[in-house]
Amino acid sequence: MAIWLDRQADDFEQRFAAFLTTKREASEDVNVAARAIIADVVARGDVALKEYSLKFDALDFDRVPMRVAPEDLDAAYASIEPSVRDALHLAAERIEKHHRRQLPKDDIYEDALGVTLGSRWTAIEAVGLYVPGGMASYPSSVLMNAIPAKVAGVPRIVIVVPAREGTINPAVLAAAKIAGVDEIYRIGGAQAVAALAYGTETITPVAKITGPGNAFVAAAKRHVFGTVGIDMIAGPSEVLVIADRDNDPDWLAADLLAQAEHDTGAQSILITDDADFGRAVEAAVERQLKLLSRSETASASWRDFGAIIVVPDLEATAPLADRIAAEHLEIATADPEALMAKIRNAGAFFLGRHTPEVVGDYVGGSNHVLPTARSARFSSGLSVLDYMKRSSILKLGTEQLRALGPAAVTLATCEGLDAHARSVAIRLNPGE
Amino acid sequence: MAIWLDRQADDFEQRFAAFLTTKREASEDVNVAARAIIADVVARGDVALKEYSLKFDALDFDRVPMRVAPEDLDAAYASIEPSVRDALHLAAERIEKHHRRQLPKDDIYEDALGVTLGSRWTAIEAVGLYVPGGMASYPSSVLMNAIPAKVAGVPRIVIVVPAREGTINPAVLAAAKIAGVDEIYRIGGAQAVAALAYGTETITPVAKITGPGNAFVAAAKRHVFGTVGIDMIAGPSEVLVIADRDNDPDWLAADLLAQAEHDTGAQSILITDDADFGRAVEAAVERQLKLLSRSETASASWRDFGAIIVVPDLEATAPLADRIAAEHLEIATADPEALMAKIRNAGAFFLGRHTPEVVGDYVGGSNHVLPTARSARFSSGLSVLDYMKRSSILKLGTEQLRALGPAAVTLATCEGLDAHARSVAIRLNPGE
């Protein structure tokens, strides 16, 4: 049973506000442990990695090497089902094509005074992708993280992935091969983040780390931020479905469950203007839950965090959607574009009745790494820009310095910065 | 005396590597204190703010209100020197014009299959700018932080600034007025960051916090990251000057000191192909140091972190510059563009002999909030994009879903995600 909220009930605002602030993650305080592991890897390098892998992954680097050999990649690629291989290629192609459009253009120009100004974009020199092991080891995520880096022109792309007893999902390795990843290491956890950030004898440090991970990985990423760049700190996934009654309740129930099966902390929300339709979706969810191999996970997620919100009319949904700021927002109405135009905060929009969010997880072409836990209010999905950085450019001649210099001297003096003022003044009055 | 490094010395690599990893900040562990303050503001709101302001800023909100009144802004604007006012207006105009060019374009298109894909940019709904108090309370930084937010279209821009005994630098208030800031509060430290992130009775929370601050502010920003967005964690400033002998040593000495006077942890580096020229610059630095009001700060910075690196030829400088990844990079040579083309990592380039970095601090038009402490390897200066976020858009019809759906089902099944597979399959085979 999901929670029901009625927009027209007197206590709606209070209940909705409480709903928004419900924590969906045990905030395990793993900070201290993660910091100790990082310090240890900094101090002892490969030796520390060897010990942690033995301890956490039952993996001995004397028997299975830390680095995955090119032959292992080829073997994995050859071993997977041809239909999976084809689907990965189709996904990779579509992701690449879409992300190529995100490549920024340099903008170098001369203004009216003759000052040259500009923005120049360059790829980050090396990036590390964290790929989770076990149940959440998804080949699709390898494509979604690595291809934008490749499109950006990153010359060195490294993957770290925990390998229980040395084993890595072959589909993950096949995806890495398709995406053109340069190096893969069988390490995980905070120790892998430390190795990427600070380097060891075997691993040359990178400049930025992306990709999802457990609480230790998240704590480690937060800690190394500054030494290297990081992407967002990923939390459990969520979907908001806005739907009128002209939908098949079974279709939308399936969409809600596709989020719920990810994680007990995942969240699925339906907003509808028809309570009967809401009840039909709820019944369909209960029916379909029984069919899922991850039924327990999905049931817990739906029970603890699922919600059905009934509103008097769908047009009035925008302010609620903005406060929810969903990672995934499906709009299954007759005119989804009109409603989208009124909504500011969403990681990704899926429009119409034939765009289940799952298409975007795999083969839509857009990225499936999206801002969770209401962070779509201030951040964006992963893109080519996350693997690039911009340098600004300024060039003045004597004339331009004469035109702008005095104002710079005035402001520097006002700020009490003598040497700032002098660095301009000395060029304006070389005699002094 | 700065450190001297000779590219051709046998121990260069070793000394240069050590030089790069020298810590320039006391890494005060203020984490625990910052977290306690944040928890207190979350629990007690305005009451906590009142206590902290009394304690840290000798400011009683019963006598001077927390929020700055519009009349205070007008009075400050009227009170400052007309030349400063004019210079602020000139700076604001140039910053706005330059940043307008950074506004991203939406990109919504249909691919060959008829799938609609897209990227839509929207402004962040509310941002908070932290403005330091005391010595580092710079009106120029108010312009550099607020104007890009304004250009992005952020509807609500809030400033927090610690006000010792209620006093705020009038030039800071004038800059806030010019930039069109909506709300200003007399609060600072971790408590101000907490108020912006979580809100209090008086302050509505924002979605992102930018701007520099002390160790407490940095720790607080790192802590609230996730609840709100943050910009970079700013460290002490640095400049790298690459110069041939055809420069006036006094000019470059002034540029090096303009960084050094910021902070004892600031860093100024000269790379030259002429040791005699290097010595002339060093002598000029020593001479000019005596003239500065911040002589002590600049002397300490130059003594502890200043460096002169002599190389056999300037063309070979690029790999060194990339490893230094300077916040500010001046290239004072005959053909600075040629050298810039070989360098990947720099926050901002200042080209030629008439572009002292200081012009960029104030009136160049580009942003002076730039990546410090080697973070130009993976991050960029502040821009309009930092105040916006991108939503992706996907729309399929029945035909497109028929074309792409089967591959999505294949990948979902391979990943063991039944409900994902079902959410597509149920639309492909509605009968089942």
Side-chain angles (χ1 to χ4, degrees):
Chain A
M1 269 295 281
I3 185 178
W4 278 75
L5 297 170
D6 180 351
R7 180 75 189 84
Q8 293 186 286
D10 287 341
D11 62 351
F12 176 80
E13 177 51 37
Q14 193 187 334
R15 291 186 66 208
F16 184 65
F19 171 72
L20 283 182
T21 53
T22 306
K23 277 238 183 288
R24 291 189 283 130
E25 275 184 299
S27 48
E28 275 182 86
D29 201 354
V30 299
N31 253 314
V32 175
R35 289 174 76 158
I37 291 172
I38 292 169
D40 193 21
V41 172
V42 169
R44 297 194 303 142
D46 281 349
V47 174
L49 292 183
K50 187 167 158 48
E51 285 181 17
Y52 288 117
S53 291
L54 206 52
K55 181 171 164 190
F56 294 124
D57 298 326
L59 168 58
D60 182 353
F61 290 144
D62 286 342
R63 304 202 304 138
V64 179
M66 192 191 305
R67 183 162 177 181
V68 175
E71 307 85 72
D72 297 351
L73 239 63
D74 296 339
Y77 181 81
S79 78
I80 61 171
E81 289 279 342
S83 63
V84 171
R85 207 155 52 211
D86 291 347
L88 287 174
H89 276 290
L90 172 69
E93 215 172 275
R94 292 189 57 84
I95 295 165
E96 186 187 333
K97 216 174 247 177
H98 177 70
H99 285 75
R100 281 218 172 279
R101 300 178 71 107
Q102 296 175 344
L103 272 167
K105 283 196 184 56
D106 292 350
D107 179 34
I108 298 170
Y109 64 99
E110 205 172 275
D111 74 5
L113 286 177
V115 176
T116 300
L117 289 117
S119 298
R120 190 196 69 173
W121 290 89
T122 43
I124 293 175
E125 58 199 11
V127 302
L129 314 182
Y130 190 95
V131 176
M135 212 172 77
S137 191
Y138 298 135
S140 58
S141 292
V142 172
L143 300 181
M144 292 290 180
N145 277 279
I147 292 173
K150 203 77 188 176
V151 169
V154 172
R156 179 171 165 251
I157 302 174
V158 182
I159 277 183
V160 291
V161 51
R164 186 93 209 143
E165 294 178 349
T167 308
I168 303 173
N169 178 352
V172 160
L173 292 180
K177 184 184 159 76
I178 290 169
V181 170
D182 300 287
E183 300 166 31
I184 305 177
Y185 298 96
R186 293 182 176 91
I187 51 173
Q191 62 273 22
V193 173
L196 289 173
Y198 295 99
T200 69
E201 297 85 335
T202 301
I203 301 174
T204 306
V206 301
K208 185 162 183 172
I209 301 174
T210 67
N214 64 18
F216 283 92
V217 172
K221 279 171 71 180
R222 200 181 278 267
H223 187 69
V224 301
F225 174 46
T227 299
V228 295
I230 61 170
D231 61 342
M232 62 197 86
I233 306 282
S237 197
E238 75 252 345
V239 70
L240 168 60
V241 178
I242 301 178
D244 58 27
R245 81 192 65 183
D246 297 333
N247 283 284
D248 184 329
D250 270 313
W251 293 15
L252 301 190
D255 298 354
L256 294 170
L257 287 173
Q259 287 307 311
E261 75 175 338
H262 267 301
D263 189 323
T264 53
Q267 183 164 57
S268 307
I269 307 170
L270 172 71
I271 301 187
T272 180
D273 56 354
D274 183 329
D276 285 338
F277 176 75
R279 275 184 287 272
V281 172
E282 190 175 34
V285 165
E286 299 297 340
R287 270 198 313 276
Q288 292 185 29
L289 261 175
K290 300 192 183 97
L291 309 172
L292 300 179
S293 64
R294 297 194 185 203
S295 177
E296 250 179 80
T297 302
S299 295
S301 155
W302 179 245
R303 180 192 64 220
D304 296 339
F305 306 115
I308 296 175
I309 303 176
V310 181
V311 293
D313 68 296
L314 289 179
E315 290 303 294
T317 303
L320 302 183
D322 274 340
R323 288 169 70 188
I324 293 169
E327 181 191 11
H328 307 102
L329 175 46
E330 283 188 24
I331 308 183
T333 62
D335 186 0
E337 284 85 356
L339 187 48
M340 176 174 76
K342 297 185 181 164
I343 297 174
R344 185 192 287 271
N345 299 333
F349 291 95
F350 302 88
L351 302 180
R353 311 188 196 280
H354 302 279
T355 316
E357 179 273 313
V358 167
V359 171
D361 284 344
Y362 296 114
V363 291
S366 50
N367 209 290
H368 81 195
V369 181
L370 293 165
T372 58
R374 304 185 63 222
S375 63
R377 288 172 299 129
F378 53 81
S379 62
S380 312
L382 193 68
S383 84
V384 168
L385 293 185
D386 291 301
Y387 294 108
M388 303 186 77
K389 69 260 180 355
R390 190 178 34 77
S391 303
S392 66
I393 296 166
L394 202 57
K395 186 179 189 182
L396 283 70
T398 46
E399 260 183 74
Q400 289 76 37
L401 191 64
R402 249 196 314 270
L404 294 178
V409 172
T410 298
L411 290 173
T413 305
C414 157
E415 293 185 352
L417 296 171
D418 295 11
H420 279 63
R422 175 185 307 275
S423 133
V424 174
I426 202 171
R427 286 169 165 92
L428 291 175
N429 318 296
E432 274 179 34
Chain B
M1 270 291 285
I3 186 178
W4 277 74
L5 296 170
D6 179 352
R7 180 73 189 83
Q8 293 186 287
D10 288 340
D11 63 351
F12 175 80
E13 177 49 37
Q14 193 188 333
R15 291 185 66 207
F16 183 65
F19 171 73
L20 283 183
T21 54
T22 305
K23 277 238 183 287
R24 291 190 282 133
E25 275 183 298
S27 48
E28 274 182 87
D29 201 353
V30 298
N31 253 313
V32 175
R35 289 173 76 158
I37 291 173
I38 292 169
D40 193 21
V41 172
V42 169
R44 297 194 301 142
D46 281 349
V47 175
L49 291 182
K50 186 166 157 52
E51 286 180 18
Y52 289 118
S53 291
L54 206 53
K55 181 172 166 191
F56 295 124
D57 298 327
L59 169 57
D60 181 354
F61 290 143
D62 287 341
R63 304 202 305 137
V64 180
M66 194 192 305
R67 182 162 176 181
V68 174
E71 308 83 72
D72 298 350
L73 238 62
D74 296 339
Y77 180 81
S79 77
I80 61 171
E81 290 277 341
S83 63
V84 171
R85 207 155 52 212
D86 291 348
L88 286 174
H89 276 290
L90 173 68
E93 215 172 276
R94 292 190 56 85
I95 295 165
E96 187 188 333
K97 215 173 247 179
H98 177 69
H99 285 75
R100 283 219 171 278
R101 300 179 71 109
Q102 296 175 343
L103 272 167
K105 284 195 184 57
D106 291 350
D107 179 35
I108 298 169
Y109 64 98
E110 205 172 276
D111 74 5
L113 286 178
V115 177
T116 299
L117 289 118
S119 298
R120 191 196 67 173
W121 290 89
T122 42
I124 292 174
E125 59 198 12
V127 303
L129 314 181
Y130 191 94
V131 176
M135 211 171 80
S137 190
Y138 298 135
S140 58
S141 292
V142 172
L143 299 182
M144 293 290 181
N145 277 279
I147 292 173
K150 204 78 189 175
V151 169
V154 173
R156 177 170 168 252
I157 302 175
V158 182
I159 277 183
V160 292
V161 52
R164 185 93 211 144
E165 294 177 350
T167 308
I168 303 173
N169 177 353
V172 160
L173 292 180
K177 185 182 158 75
I178 290 169
V181 170
D182 301 287
E183 300 166 30
I184 306 177
Y185 299 97
R186 294 181 176 91
I187 51 173
Q191 62 273 24
V193 173
L196 288 173
Y198 295 99
T200 69
E201 297 85 336
T202 302
I203 301 173
T204 306
V206 301
K208 185 164 183 172
I209 302 175
T210 67
N214 65 16
F216 283 91
V217 172
K221 280 171 69 180
R222 201 182 277 266
H223 188 68
V224 300
F225 173 47
T227 300
V228 295
I230 61 169
D231 61 343
M232 62 196 86
I233 306 281
S237 196
E238 74 251 347
V239 69
L240 168 60
V241 178
I242 301 177
D244 59 25
R245 81 193 66 181
D246 299 333
N247 282 286
D248 185 329
D250 270 312
W251 293 16
L252 300 191
D255 298 354
L256 295 170
L257 287 173
Q259 287 307 309
E261 75 176 338
H262 267 300
D263 189 320
T264 53
Q267 182 164 59
S268 307
I269 306 170
L270 172 71
I271 301 187
T272 180
D273 57 353
D274 183 329
D276 285 339
F277 176 75
R279 276 185 287 271
V281 172
E282 189 174 36
V285 165
E286 298 297 340
R287 271 197 313 274
Q288 291 184 29
L289 262 176
K290 300 191 184 98
L291 310 171
L292 300 179
S293 64
R294 297 195 186 202
S295 178
E296 248 178 84
T297 302
S299 295
S301 155
W302 180 245
R303 180 191 65 220
D304 296 338
F305 305 115
I308 295 175
I309 303 175
V310 180
V311 293
D313 69 295
L314 289 180
E315 290 304 295
T317 303
L320 302 183
D322 273 341
R323 287 170 69 189
I324 293 169
E327 181 190 11
H328 307 103
L329 174 47
E330 283 187 25
I331 308 183
T333 63
D335 186 0
E337 284 86 355
L339 187 48
M340 177 174 75
K342 296 185 181 162
I343 296 173
R344 183 192 292 268
N345 299 334
F349 290 96
F350 302 88
L351 302 180
R353 311 189 195 281
H354 303 278
T355 316
E357 179 273 311
V358 167
V359 171
D361 284 343
Y362 296 112
V363 290
S366 49
N367 209 290
H368 82 194
V369 180
L370 293 164
T372 58
R374 304 187 61 223
S375 64
R377 288 172 299 130
F378 54 80
S379 62
S380 313
L382 193 68
S383 84
V384 168
L385 293 186
D386 292 301
Y387 294 108
M388 304 186 77
K389 71 263 181 348
R390 192 178 32 78
S391 303
S392 65
I393 296 167
L394 201 58
K395 185 178 188 183
L396 283 70
T398 45
E399 258 183 74
Q400 289 75 39
L401 190 64
R402 248 197 314 270
L404 293 178
V409 172
T410 299
L411 290 173
T413 307
C414 157
E415 293 184 352
L417 296 171
D418 296 11
H420 280 62
R422 174 184 308 273
S423 133
V424 174
I426 202 170
R427 288 169 164 93
L428 292 175
N429 317 296
E432 274 179 34

